């Protein structure tokens, strides 16, 4: 029985990982009809983001003199700087609070309420489970919600239920999706976290797993409590410290082994990051295999969509592994991608792997495969002691459907990368056109053209005068005309990306 009686059909087309950029156009008076955001709205957002413990540069309040022109200009500048900080911070920019602030029309729905409705429907057909408590905001996805569960006849055992909408990369048919999701609970691998129950319908999916008090690899790195909100756990760690070399080697090897297994099975993944790796003793186990089936965009999509060489899901997994390895090594994510230089690491072999994935050269010329990474000195001598035999039988027809779905996901990525590349070229052209050097060149050319036109005009006047005298006796009129050159099309233009947001704010 489906866990929803009348689900809305289809997938969510909006990709929540597309970065939003915000530009304040102008301040508006209190009586203007073009008001979008008040200063108090910024203040409310800032208060909500305090859970991250980040020091955010919101301009202070001012009760007296806040209508003065200089103050208005300075506050606008300050608010723009504030927006720039939160929209360029990878975690903040993806959180629901910021998305709703910048794009309320696209994010007006109460996703927690929707998730509760779906989960309630599920319990009508599966009464052996019940909700112990909601796990509020423990994940980064806006349309994925979590609940702590318990089994009625085993009240001490805890499980975690996740519910998610179908995303823009959902290309499996509804029938294939439902079959593939149910198949996940039969997957057995020493480095894949066990799924207790999974089901899907035409619009969403629900997955139940055992709850781990120890948490994820990201919780270990950031010394965080698994039940805390995502912003609180990972935005501003109190102590930045990487893992021991042996942990880096062992965890890295285990993760690469399971990626290799999934690639050989033809099962698309593309969702590797440290919060998707569960710790079970000294063993790493991969989470959220269902994400690619549901069409959910990757945590690192805004990074790898910038580089056209990363155009397969295998390539995406390798790039994401580079992020994860950096985080394990240094206790924090890289400041920028590509990485120009690496801080001292526990081993030169660690830096060697990172350079092969995250440097400009690697991103331009190509990264190693998972099999090649396993052969590198950092991982090749790791002894794996787990003897569990992997099992994941995927029927031939479903394998073919997964292959087609994977190709569609890669095609959307390639098309997005092409648009980003075109946007970059246009931006560079506009920047070059507006540079001071170019302006000087255009002024010089304009002066030369003006002098040339003046000379030609003088010559033309003389010719006209001569012809006029020559033709006066015959009564014929034959004025000289010069062909007019067509005006060259302007190279300046406005590329309005769908991720751009323009704000006005109230001054008071």
């Amino acid at each position: 029985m489906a866990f929803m009686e009348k689900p809305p059909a289809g997938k969510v087309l909006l990709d929540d990982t597309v970065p939003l950029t915000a530009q304040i156009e102008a301040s508006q008076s209190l009586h203007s009809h073009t008001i979008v955001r008040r200063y108090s709205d910024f203040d409310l957002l800032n208060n909500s983001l305090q859970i991250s413990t980040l020091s955010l540069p919101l301009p202070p309040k001012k009760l007296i003199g806040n209508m003065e022109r200089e103050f208005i200009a300075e506050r606008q500048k300050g608010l723009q700087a504030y927006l720039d900080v939160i929209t360029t911070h990878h975690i903040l920019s993806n959180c629901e609070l910021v998305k709703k602030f910048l794009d309320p029309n696209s994010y007006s729905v109460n996703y927690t309420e929707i998730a509760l409705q779906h989960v309630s429907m599920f319990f009508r057909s599966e009464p052996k489970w019940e909700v112990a408590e909601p796990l509020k905001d423990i994940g980064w996805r806006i349309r994925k919600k979590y609940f702590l569960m318990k089994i009625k006849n085993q009240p001490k055992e805890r499980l975690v239920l996740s519910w998610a909408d179908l995303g823009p990369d959902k290309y499996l048919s509804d029938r294939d999706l439902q079959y593939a999701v149910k198949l996940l609970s039969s997957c057995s691998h020493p480095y894949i976290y066990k799924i207790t129950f999974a089901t899907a319908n035409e619009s969403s999916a629900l997955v139940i797993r055992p709850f781990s008090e120890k948490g994820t690899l990201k919780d270990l790195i950031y010394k965080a409590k698994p039940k805390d909100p995502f912003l609180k756990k990972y935005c501003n760690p109190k102590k930045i410290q990487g893992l021991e070399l042996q942990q880096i080697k062992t965890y890295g090897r285990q993760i690469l082994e399971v990626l290799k297994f999934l690639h050989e099975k033809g099962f698309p993944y593309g969702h590797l990051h440290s919060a998707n790796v569960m710790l079970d003793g000294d063993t790493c186990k991969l989470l959220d295999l269902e994400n690619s089936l549901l069409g959910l965009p990757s945590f690192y999509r805004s990074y790898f969509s910038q580089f056209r060489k990363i155009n397969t899901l295998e390539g995406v997994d390798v790039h994401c592994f580079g992020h994860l390895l950096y985080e394990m090594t240094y206790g924090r994510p890289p400041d920028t991608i590509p990485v120009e230089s690496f801080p001292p690491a526990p081993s030169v072999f660690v830096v060697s792997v990172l350079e092969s994935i995250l440097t400009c050269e690697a991103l331009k010329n190509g990264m190693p495969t998972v099999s090649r990474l396993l052969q590198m000195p950092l991982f090749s001598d790791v002894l794996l002691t787990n003897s569990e035999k992997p099992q994941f039988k995927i029927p031939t027809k479903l394998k073919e459907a997964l292959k087609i779905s994977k190709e569609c996901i890669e095609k959307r990525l390639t098309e997005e990368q092409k648009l980003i590349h075109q946007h970059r070229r246009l931006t560079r052209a506009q920047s070059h056109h507006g540079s001071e050097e170019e302006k000087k060149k255009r002024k010089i050319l304009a002066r030369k053209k003006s002098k040339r036109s003046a000379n030609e005009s003088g010559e033309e006047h003389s010719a006209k005068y001569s012809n006029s005298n020559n033709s006066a006796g015959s009564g014929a009129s034959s004025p000289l005309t010069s062909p007019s050159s067509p005006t060259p099309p302007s190279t300046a233009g406005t590329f309005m990306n769908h991720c751009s947001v323009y704000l006005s704010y109230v001054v008071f």
Side-chain angles (χ1 to χ4, degrees):
M1 181 176 176
F3 66 87
M4 231 188 114
E5 293 175 350
K6 293 183 179 179
K11 60 185 181 181
V12 176
L13 297 178
L14 182 65
D15 187 338
D16 296 326
T17 63
V18 173
L20 292 174
T21 58
Q23 184 72 35
I24 297 176
E25 286 187 306
S27 59
Q28 301 289 339
S29 68
L30 188 60
H31 302 291
S32 171
H33 294 290
T34 58
I35 297 168
V36 176
R37 286 287 179 247
R38 300 171 181 265
Y39 176 82
S40 58
D41 295 324
F42 281 87
D43 190 45
L44 183 62
L45 172 66
N46 192 63
N47 288 335
S48 300
L49 295 178
Q50 291 305 302
I51 191 173
S52 69
T53 71
L54 289 167
S55 180
L56 301 172
L58 182 71
K61 295 178 182 179
K62 185 177 181 182
L63 300 178
I64 301 173
N66 61 7
M67 295 301 293
E68 295 172 358
R69 183 178 300 176
E70 294 79 5
F71 171 75
I72 292 172
E74 193 63 28
R75 171 171 279 184
Q76 182 172 327
K77 184 179 177 182
L79 291 176
Q80 184 61 61
Y82 177 79
L83 289 173
D84 291 344
V85 168
I86 63 174
T87 56
T88 54
H89 190 285
H90 183 57
I91 294 178
L92 289 185
S93 63
N94 279 300
C95 80
E96 186 175 354
L97 293 166
V98 172
K99 294 282 188 180
K100 282 190 172 184
F101 180 81
L102 296 176
D103 190 7
N105 291 333
S106 299
Y107 297 95
S108 58
V109 176
N110 186 328
Y111 300 105
T112 302
E113 186 62 34
I114 292 175
L116 282 169
Q117 291 174 7
H118 286 234
V119 172
S120 297
M121 292 291 183
F122 164 72
F123 285 129
R124 291 183 185 181
S125 58
E126 298 287 345
K128 66 177 181 178
W129 284 304
E130 64 180 5
V131 173
E133 63 176 287
L135 299 172
K136 187 172 172 58
D137 300 328
I138 66 163
W140 69 275
R141 291 188 186 277
I142 295 172
R143 305 170 200 271
K144 191 169 190 178
K145 301 300 177 182
Y146 298 85
F147 303 88
L148 194 64
M149 310 285 298
K150 62 182 179 181
I151 304 174
K152 288 184 177 179
N153 59 1
Q154 301 175 42
K156 291 186 178 180
E157 186 176 349
R158 288 291 184 266
L159 304 105
V160 61
L161 179 152
S162 65
W163 171 90
D165 268 331
L166 304 185
D169 279 325
K170 182 263 182 183
Y171 295 105
L172 290 172
S173 68
D174 291 342
R175 184 177 178 181
D176 285 337
L177 172 66
Q178 291 166 19
Y179 182 63
V181 168
K182 287 183 179 179
L183 195 67
L184 291 176
S185 59
S186 69
C187 177
S188 176
H189 190 284
Y191 308 127
I192 292 178
Y193 201 62
K194 183 67 178 174
I195 290 176
T196 305
F197 178 87
T199 186
N201 61 24
E202 296 86 351
S203 64
S204 58
L206 182 151
V207 178
I208 298 176
R209 296 179 174 88
F211 176 73
S212 171
E213 294 287 349
K214 192 171 182 179
T216 64
L217 179 57
K218 201 174 188 78
D219 293 326
L220 173 67
I221 295 170
Y222 289 77
K223 299 171 179 58
K225 298 177 181 178
K227 290 184 183 180
D228 282 346
F230 202 84
L231 295 185
K232 181 179 180 180
K233 289 188 288 188
Y234 308 132
C235 273
N236 190 26
K238 293 179 181 178
K239 187 177 180 181
I240 297 175
Q241 184 179 353
L243 304 182
E244 298 291 332
L245 179 59
Q246 193 55 48
Q247 289 177 305
I248 295 171
K249 290 167 66 71
T250 302
Y251 295 162
R253 176 66 187 266
Q254 292 169 349
I255 292 165
L256 289 172
E257 287 288 349
V258 71
L259 290 177
K260 184 172 180 284
F261 172 78
L262 292 174
H263 293 174
E264 290 173 348
K265 285 289 182 181
F267 189 92
Y269 187 53
H271 292 271
L272 179 64
H273 60 93
S274 56
N276 267 358
V277 178
M278 191 66 77
L279 285 177
D280 184 5
D282 293 327
T283 303
C284 278
K285 298 195 174 186
L286 210 58
L287 283 169
D288 286 4
L289 261 64
E290 70 274 11
N291 282 359
S292 59
L293 304 178
L294 308 184
L296 306 183
S298 171
F299 181 65
Y300 290 120
R301 188 180 181 89
S302 61
Y303 288 95
F304 60 72
S305 60
Q306 307 291 322
F307 306 102
R308 300 175 81 178
K309 280 284 184 180
I310 308 174
N311 52 21
T312 65
L313 284 184
E314 289 84 0
V316 167
D317 283 335
V318 170
H319 179 74
C320 294
F321 179 78
H323 282 263
L324 186 149
L325 180 61
Y326 190 102
E327 207 170 11
M328 285 197 295
T329 304
Y330 300 112
R332 60 179 179 83
D335 294 326
T336 58
I337 299 292
V339 179
E340 293 184 2
S341 61
F342 296 91
S347 165
V348 293
F349 294 143
V350 175
V351 176
S352 177
V353 176
L354 290 171
E355 287 177 340
S356 73
I357 300 173
L358 297 180
T359 59
C360 187
E361 183 182 356
L363 293 167
K364 282 184 178 179
N365 301 326
M367 304 173 301
T369 62
V370 168
S371 296
R372 176 71 189 95
L373 287 171
L374 282 165
Q375 295 169 0
M376 295 182 79
L378 182 63
F379 307 115
S380 60
D381 64 348
V382 175
L383 181 64
L384 299 177
T385 57
N386 200 307
S387 59
E388 180 186 344
K389 187 178 179 181
Q391 289 185 340
F392 193 19
K393 294 182 180 179
I394 304 175
T396 305
K397 285 185 69 175
L398 182 58
K399 268 192 177 181
E400 186 60 32
L402 290 173
K403 181 183 176 184
I404 295 170
S405 173
K406 175 179 175 290
E407 290 169 353
C408 290
I409 293 171
E410 292 169 346
K411 183 180 178 182
R412 186 175 88 87
L413 173 60
T414 303
E415 289 172 349
E416 183 178 321
Q417 289 170 331
K418 185 178 178 181
L419 287 174
I420 291 172
H421 180 68
Q422 290 171 348
H423 184 202
R424 275 184 185 156
R425 290 183 62 184
L426 179 60
T427 302
R428 282 197 299 266
Q430 290 174 340
S431 177
H432 179 69
H433 187 75
S435 67
E436 289 300 320
E437 186 179 349
E438 281 300 302
K439 287 177 182 178
K440 287 178 182 178
K441 286 181 180 179
R442 289 198 296 273
K443 283 180 181 179
I444 292 169
L445 288 173
R447 282 197 295 267
K448 287 181 179 179
K449 187 176 180 181
S450 178
K451 288 180 181 178
R452 190 165 56 245
S453 297
N455 292 336
E456 289 174 355
S457 178
E459 292 172 3
E460 183 181 324
H461 179 72
S462 299
K464 283 182 181 180
Y465 180 75
S466 174
N467 287 337
S468 176
N469 288 339
N470 292 336
S471 61
S474 63
S477 176
S478 178
L480 290 177
T481 58
S482 59
S484 59
S485 301
T487 305
S490 171
T491 56
T494 303
F495 184 89
M496 189 62 184
N497 198 322
H498 65 283
C499 63
S500 298
V501 177
Y502 288 85
L503 296 180
S504 298
Y505 75 94
V506 180
V507 179
F508 65 94

